[in-house]
Structures are given as C-alpha cells and as structure tokens.
Amino acid sequence: MANIQQVAKHAGVSVATVSRVLNGQTTVTAKTKQKVEEAIQYLNYEPSMLGRNLRNSESRIVLVLIPTISNPFYFEIIKGIENMALSQNYSILLCETDSKPEKEEIYFDLLRKKMADGIISMDPAVNVETLKELAENYAIIQCSEYGGGMDIPYVTIDSEEASYRAVKHLIQIGHQKIALMNSDEKFLYARERRMGYERALQESGIPLNKNYISYTQELGFEQGQLAMKKILHLDDRPTAVFAVSDLLAIGALKEIKAAGLQVPQDIAVVGFDKIDFSNMTNPALTTVAQPMYKMGTIAARMLIDKIRGKAVDSVVLGFELVIRESTTG
Amino acid sequence: MANIQQVAKHAGVSVATVSRVLNGQTTVTAKTKQKVEEAIQYLNYEPSMLGRNLRNSESRIVLVLIPTISNPFYFEIIKGIENMALSQNYSILLCETDSKPEKEEIYFDLLRKKMADGIISMDPAVNVETLKELAENYAIIQCSEYGGGMDIPYVTIDSEEASYRAVKHLIQIGHQKIALMNSDEKFLYARERRMGYERALQESGIPLNKNYISYTQELGFEQGQLAMKKILHLDDRPTAVFAVSDLLAIGALKEIKAAGLQVPQDIAVVGFDKIDFSNMTNPALTTVAQPMYKMGTIAARMLIDKIRGKAVDSVVLGFELVIRESTTG
DNA sequence: GATGAAAATGTAATCGATTACATTTTGAAA
DNA sequence: TTTCAAAATGTAATCGATTACATTTTCATC
C-alpha cells in the first residue's frame, strides 16, 4: 500500500504536486501530471481518506437516525438521502436506535468524536434535550419527524392537513362512524393528525366519539391487530378506520378478516405512508403518500449545506391521498 | 473543541499521559489520572477518531453490501451484524448496491481508500472477479450468499437441504403437482434449491415436470405475481407452489386470490426466509426460517477476526421449516 | 540576452492522536 | 542515607494527507 510520499518519489516530484494532481488543481503542467499519474498507476496507489480526513477535519460521513430498520416507511427516504449524499461524496451510516437512549448515545458519540459530520434524525423518540445541545455545535437536520420549539431545521409534510384529507375522503364516500388509530400523543405528528381528524368531523357536523380514538405505543402490525380487536368489540362499531401508519392499517385488515368481516364493505380502512407492502395486501390499502424520496434528498441537501456553514430553512412538502380498494372496493 | 495537547497542558502532564488515561492503561498514578480526568471534564474534551484512526491505520467501519434495503430478508441479519460490530467498537455502513457494478464500485473504493476496514457481502450479484481480487488484500466475508470456488470465507445455510425439506412437507400433506418458483440459476443458491426440489420429488417417485419450474430475475412481489399468473394458466395446474423467497410467495398469494382461488385449499404456498410480513398475510405463510440474527453475528465476528489477522473458517448453519396456514389451512 | 511577472513546483507545518524509547520519580532494601 | 530496579512520565517520531508560503522555472517583451 503506497502512500503519497512514495508516489512523489517515484514520479520525481514533491508530495505537494502529487496532491495537486489528486485534487485536480490546474496549476500542474500536463507533463508533470502525466508523470504523477503513471506513478500512481504503477504503484497502485489509492489516497488514504484517513490522512485526508484528519487534515481536513472532516469524516465525510453523515449519520441517519431511525428507530428501526424494519419499518419500510424509511426506505425511500433513506434512498433519497443516500443518493444525494453520494453525489456530494458523503457516505451515510444508518443508525438504528431501537428508540433507546443508550443506542442513541453511541451514535451521538460518533458525532462528538468527529467520526461523523452531521446527523439526519428521523427518530421521533430521540432525546430532545441532547439533540438541542448537539445542534449548537454540530450540523443536525430533522426529517419527517420534528419536535416543536426547537430551532433545528426540519423537512416534513403538513400532518394535520393530510389527516384531514384522509378522513374527509371517508366521509365523502358515506362514512360517519370513523375510528382513529393514532400513535402516542407525546409525538407532535400524532397531535397534529388527531387535530386533522377532528377538523374533518367537525366540518361535517359529525360528533366526536372518544371511544373511536385509540393510541398505540408503536406503529407496528401487532399494535394494529390489538387496537382493531378492541374497536371490533365496541357497542356502536365504526364503519371505517383511519390508521396513522400502514403497518397499523395492515394489522387492522388482518383482524377484520379474522372476525369474518369484509373490507371495505363492512369496514373501510385507510393507512398512512404508502409503504411498498400497502399495495401487496388484500385488498390494497388506501393511504397517504408522503414524497419520501424527495424528503430524503432535501434533508441531505440541507444537512450538507449546514455542514458547509450555510444557513438553511425548514421545508414543508406536499402529500397525496392514494385511493385504493380498502375504501372503494 | 479541545485537543489532546490542550488537555495535557491544562492537566500539567504530557500528551502521552493523557493518551494513557484515555486508553485505560494501568501505568498511571491515581492522582495523575484524576488531574487528567478533571482537565477532560473541564475542557469538554472528546478524543478525535480522525487522529486516532490515522495513527492506528484503521477506520473502525465495516461495509455491509446488500442489493436493496427494501428487502426485509436482510433486517435481522443486519441487526445481528450491527450488534456484534458495536460491541467491538465498529460501526457499520449499509451499502445498497442496487445490484449495479457502478454502485458497488463506490463502496469498494471506500475500502481501498481506507475508509472501511472490511466488507460483509450479502449481494449475490456482486462482481465476483473484483471481490476475489479485493479479498487478497482486504478482509471480506460473504454472508448468506456465496459464490463457489472462491476462498472467501462465508456463513450460510444448506440451501439444498432446506429446499428438500420444504418440498417434502408439501408431498407429505398430499401434494404431487408442485411448482418451483426459483430465482435465476446464475446464483449458486438457486441451483442448490432446485436440486433439493428435485431430490424430494425423485425420492417420492414423482416425475419432474419442467413446466412447473419458473425463473425470476428478482425476488420481489411483482415477480411473484407474474410467475404465478403463468402457473395458473398451465394446462395441468399445480396444487402447490414452493417459492424461494417470501416476497415471491406473497406475490403468488395475491395472484391466486385474484383468480378466485383459495389458499391452501386450491393451491398451497411455501415461501423462504420468514420475513416479518410472512406472518401478516392472509393466510400466514409457511416458510423456511434461516437463523438470520445468528448469521449476522457470526459474519461480523468472522470479519472482525479477519481484520485482526486471525484465520477464519466458513460456517454452515441450520434452518427450520415454519408450518403455517398457507399449507395446512 | 536580460528582465520580471506569472506559472509551476517544492518545503515544511499541520491536523490529533499513539507509542517506542528516554528520562525522571518512587520507595523498598541495604 | 544510599542504591537501584520498577514504576511513572515525558519527548519526539509517526500515520498520510493538504496547503501557506518560499523558491524555481518559464517565457513574453524589450
């Protein structure tokens, strides 16, 4: 494994010149450049990023914090982040926190130890205090999730409006008894989605039935099954369910079928996120599509700008209601 | 951001002593140690991994190559790798190749440029020649997938036997007309799984029907739908399908239902991998469970051993047939 | 051929840690 | 108190790049 000194020696030039060739600087004669390139070829030289990174005080790595890799919600966002990052010569380190502070801390430490240049957080459970503190000294962007009152730049969609539109759709196709399967309201987006739900009902003069709202600790399949089980046992059973994640909705689907009922004839179901799998279920799921890929690229762009010291502003993106069989048959 | 010099100065000792405290060496007096720790605290010092990594000629990062992040098959393996890696103070960089040589090359370059200490490859489409070449100079382990004839250590299961057992199960519950939905036979595991399929048939005296075997380019949901569509149009329609991935099987499920047929009454379905979703379908999928998490930890262990210069041997792990509703109703 | 500004190249410091080797301190034994 | 091995600490080289500044080369102009 050759280093820059050996290349310089072999090419009969100084290390500065080799470095100039490496970094495509223009002040190098064509002849010199060729000599250097031959030496590089001959010695099979690859510049070490360890040396470069130390000298430049950067790692060219960005951290992407997610609660779990198993949630398909993050796929497209991650792809967006990754492609943008790669195009700017950054690599991304995917960090599964399992929503545990201990694991978060491991990755925060990577930042503190200069092993990473910044963080894109998609973890709603993230330790807000620590994040705020870190944001004072390091580049941090929140993507899709964001806490209120922090001056950390974020990119997200209008959750309240999206929720409103989903419920509105159910009302428009004739539903009055609509259940909301929400996540814990310690999360801002959960509160926003409940508000959208309430606004849609109110607007149509439908009274709010508190029994129709359930809260789950996580947004997974099993939680959807459990919540649906309870809903099915209600005295005045709803005819529609709006779940704030596709996985919840898919759990609901399975439970409804297990009870011998039909979707959407007996109960209509709407999910949220448009994960790949939402199209694979039977029936295919009506759901709210967030512009995930775009969200990813924008978040990455924002982060890299921030790393480079530019000022960045938060962004709110549009969304789309994708109507499929689980509401229209 | 303080550095080690400043800590040394503030504590009134040399950088060597600070380094010793940092690395928990025993040759430091309790009193000196305390002085250093106070200085660290006071200056809010965090050792830079950039300096350390250059000096130690390591990056403490390992690359994990996968074709796509969307395939749930990799989740548990990745978790296994990650936990083992973290316990040894390594971080993992998840590399999506999209099965494209250009993207592979980006990550191979990270290795050449010392930005990574080794690679765990789970990409069957990986450029075999390049991988072989790299393996001469760098630590590389193949996980779950492996090409024949290479001396790159791998961890995997006995695909032939797993396939044999899956088909055997179908035969035992009364099926004779069993279709195989296989992946492209350029992959070793695909050839092995066909062999297991054939062995099971042969053993029971069932003649091989070439029309019952289909090949798909990818292992996704859509490919499963397409392949199933063709199978449903066969003159002598099979009563069972063995798909070499759960996503293929889930595609088949949906297609069978779309044709108005019942699973397993009309057609039984067996998948492979036991991804989370295989339990969320209707009916739940009978499938072959690989010990994914364990596979991940072992692969990571092997890689780290290899990085440290130890000799490592390939490992073949056991598997388990998980019988659920899609075959037994 | 002499001149001198511009272009090309070189020298050496620097980034922040680790560690071999050198030096100083400690403290038990004489 | 002296002695001296062991323990503690310090000095300075090192990892491999980048780059400010210094020096040399080039070449158009007179």
Side-chain angles (χ1 to χ4, degrees):
Chain A
M1 308 289 156
N3 62 18
I4 200 173
Q5 321 283 344
Q6 291 163 15
V7 173
K9 194 168 174 187
H10 193 269
V13 300
S14 73
V15 291
T17 300
V18 177
S19 179
R20 288 186 189 106
V21 172
L22 250 32
N23 293 289
Q25 297 205 16
T26 48
T27 67
V28 182
T29 300
K31 202 166 66 181
T32 316
K33 193 175 164 192
Q34 202 194 329
K35 273 194 303 180
V36 171
E37 277 165 351
E38 277 169 16
I40 288 175
Q41 193 96 44
Y42 179 76
L43 291 170
N44 227 307
Y45 167 73
E46 297 274 353
S48 159
M49 296 201 68
L50 300 178
R52 173 177 299 180
N53 287 348
L54 172 58
R55 173 59 214 225
N56 295 345
S57 289
E58 61 174 9
S59 62
R60 303 239 124 213
I61 284 181
V62 303
L63 266 32
V64 176
L65 255 54
I66 55 176
T68 166
I69 194 184
S70 323
N71 190 336
F73 168 65
Y74 300 105
F75 291 164
E76 281 298 311
I77 303 184
I78 293 170
K79 287 184 193 187
I81 295 176
E82 186 176 35
N83 284 345
M84 175 59 76
L86 282 180
S87 79
Q88 304 292 311
N89 280 306
Y90 282 82
S91 300
I92 71 167
L93 215 132
L94 207 56
C95 307
E96 212 180 7
T97 65
D98 297 330
S99 298
K100 287 186 199 148
E102 316 91 80
K103 280 201 86 179
E104 251 170 47
E105 206 46 42
I106 294 177
Y107 295 111
F108 286 160
D109 257 352
L110 249 32
L111 190 65
R112 298 193 188 100
K113 290 182 180 165
K114 305 255 188 313
M115 195 64 221
D117 294 342
I119 290 184
I120 293 176
S121 170
M122 300 203 275
D123 189 355
V126 85
N127 184 328
V128 177
E129 283 314 309
T130 318
L131 203 66
K132 261 194 217 175
E133 239 180 82
L134 283 173
E136 288 169 20
N137 294 308
Y138 304 94
I140 295 185
I141 302 288
Q142 289 187 285
C143 179
S144 147
E145 310 296 348
Y146 70 106
M150 291 199 261
D151 55 353
I152 302 177
Y154 57 82
V155 48
T156 186
I157 61 161
D158 186 341
S159 271
E160 197 271 350
E161 177 73 16
S163 175
Y164 167 81
R165 289 263 292 281
V167 176
K168 191 83 188 167
H169 164 63
L170 287 169
I171 295 174
Q172 279 166 346
I173 59 174
H175 293 279
Q176 296 265 338
K177 295 188 280 184
I178 302 171
L180 171 66
M181 204 178 279
N182 203 357
S183 120
D184 192 313
E185 288 208 3
K186 72 183 169 197
F187 302 128
L188 179 58
Y189 75 90
R191 299 197 292 278
E192 292 180 342
R193 289 181 193 178
R194 179 176 47 72
M195 284 167 59
Y197 166 81
E198 289 180 0
R199 175 156 70 94
L201 295 185
Q202 227 160 32
E203 198 181 279
S204 302
I206 302 172
L208 192 67
N209 181 342
K210 288 217 167 149
N211 291 326
Y212 284 179
I213 304 185
S214 48
Y215 300 98
T216 66
Q217 281 305 308
E218 284 177 66
L219 296 180
F221 174 77
E222 288 83 6
Q223 285 81 14
Q225 284 185 297
L226 272 174
M228 194 65 220
K229 197 167 284 183
K230 286 186 192 152
I231 292 173
L232 289 172
H233 281 104
L234 288 177
D235 289 337
D236 194 15
R237 201 175 66 201
T239 62
V241 175
F242 169 44
V244 299
S245 97
D246 283 345
L247 287 180
L248 283 178
I250 292 169
L253 274 190
K254 180 136 186 175
E255 202 57 33
I256 294 171
K257 289 222 186 156
L261 297 172
Q262 297 278 316
V263 176
Q265 293 82 348
D266 298 314
I267 301 183
V269 176
V270 177
F272 207 110
D273 292 342
K274 199 187 173 214
I275 62 175
D276 280 354
F277 202 58
S278 69
N279 199 28
M280 304 184 196
T281 54
N282 230 307
L285 204 57
T286 292
T287 186
V288 177
Q290 304 190 38
M292 316 252 230
Y293 187 87
K294 193 172 171 193
M295 229 152 116
T297 55
I298 291 182
R301 182 76 261 173
M302 286 167 72
L303 184 67
I304 292 171
D305 281 349
K306 194 133 219 281
I307 290 172
R308 296 186 179 150
K310 292 188 205 162
V312 299
D313 291 319
S314 295
V315 174
V316 177
L317 296 174
F319 59 89
E320 193 190 348
L321 182 65
V322 179
I323 296 168
R324 294 195 288 217
E325 303 154 12
S326 71
T327 57
T328 59
Chain B
M1 309 289 156
N3 62 19
I4 199 172
Q5 321 283 343
Q6 291 163 14
V7 174
K9 194 168 173 188
H10 193 270
V13 299
S14 72
V15 292
T17 300
V18 178
S19 179
R20 288 186 188 105
V21 171
L22 251 31
N23 294 289
Q25 296 206 18
T26 48
T27 67
V28 183
T29 300
K31 201 166 64 178
T32 316
K33 192 175 164 192
Q34 202 194 328
K35 274 194 301 180
V36 171
E37 277 165 351
E38 277 169 15
I40 288 175
Q41 192 95 46
Y42 179 77
L43 292 170
N44 228 306
Y45 167 72
E46 297 275 353
S48 159
M49 297 201 69
L50 299 177
R52 173 178 300 179
N53 287 348
L54 172 59
R55 174 60 214 229
N56 293 346
S57 289
E58 62 174 10
S59 62
R60 302 239 123 211
I61 284 181
V62 303
L63 265 32
V64 176
L65 256 53
I66 55 176
T68 165
I69 194 184
S70 325
N71 190 334
F73 168 64
Y74 300 104
F75 292 163
E76 281 299 311
I77 303 184
I78 293 170
K79 288 185 192 186
I81 295 176
E82 186 175 35
N83 284 345
M84 174 60 77
L86 281 181
S87 79
Q88 304 292 311
N89 280 306
Y90 282 82
S91 300
I92 72 168
L93 216 133
L94 207 57
C95 308
E96 211 180 9
T97 65
D98 297 329
S99 298
K100 288 187 197 147
E102 316 91 79
K103 278 202 86 178
E104 252 170 46
E105 205 46 43
I106 293 176
Y107 295 111
F108 286 160
D109 256 353
L110 249 32
L111 190 65
R112 297 193 187 99
K113 291 182 179 164
K114 306 254 187 314
M115 194 66 220
D117 294 342
I119 290 183
I120 293 176
S121 170
M122 301 203 275
D123 189 355
V126 85
N127 185 329
V128 177
E129 282 313 310
T130 317
L131 202 67
K132 260 196 219 176
E133 238 181 83
L134 283 173
E136 287 169 20
N137 294 307
Y138 303 94
I140 295 185
I141 302 289
Q142 288 186 287
C143 179
S144 147
E145 310 296 348
Y146 68 107
M150 292 198 262
D151 54 354
I152 303 178
Y154 57 82
V155 48
T156 186
I157 61 161
D158 186 342
S159 271
E160 197 272 349
E161 177 72 15
S163 175
Y164 166 82
R165 289 263 293 280
V167 176
K168 192 81 188 170
H169 164 63
L170 287 169
I171 295 173
Q172 279 167 346
I173 59 175
H175 294 278
Q176 296 265 336
K177 295 188 280 185
I178 302 170
L180 171 66
M181 203 177 281
N182 203 357
S183 118
D184 193 314
E185 288 207 4
K186 71 183 171 197
F187 302 128
L188 179 59
Y189 76 89
R191 299 197 292 278
E192 291 180 343
R193 288 182 193 177
R194 180 176 46 72
M195 284 166 60
Y197 166 80
E198 289 179 359
R199 176 156 70 94
L201 295 185
Q202 228 160 33
E203 199 181 278
S204 301
I206 302 173
L208 192 67
N209 181 342
K210 289 217 166 150
N211 292 326
Y212 283 180
I213 304 186
S214 48
Y215 299 98
T216 65
Q217 280 305 309
E218 285 177 65
L219 296 180
F221 174 75
E222 288 83 5
Q223 287 80 15
Q225 285 186 297
L226 273 173
M228 194 65 219
K229 197 166 282 183
K230 285 186 193 149
I231 292 174
L232 288 172
H233 281 105
L234 288 177
D235 288 337
D236 194 14
R237 201 175 66 201
T239 63
V241 176
F242 169 43
V244 300
S245 98
D246 283 344
L247 286 181
L248 283 179
I250 291 171
L253 274 190
K254 178 134 188 177
E255 202 58 32
I256 294 171
K257 290 225 185 152
L261 298 172
Q262 297 278 315
V263 177
Q265 293 82 350
D266 298 312
I267 300 184
V269 176
V270 176
F272 207 109
D273 292 342
K274 199 187 172 214
I275 62 175
D276 280 352
F277 279 142
S278 68
N279 199 27
M280 303 183 196
T281 54
N282 231 305
L285 206 57
T286 292
T287 187
V288 177
Q290 305 191 37
M292 317 250 230
Y293 187 87
K294 194 172 171 192
M295 230 152 118
T297 55
I298 291 181
R301 183 76 260 172
M302 285 167 72
L303 184 67
I304 293 171
D305 282 349
K306 194 132 219 281
I307 290 171
R308 295 186 179 151
K310 293 189 204 161
V312 299
D313 291 320
S314 295
V315 174
V316 177
L317 297 174
F319 58 88
E320 192 190 347
L321 182 65
V322 179
I323 296 168
R324 294 194 289 215
E325 304 154 13
S326 72
T327 57
T328 57

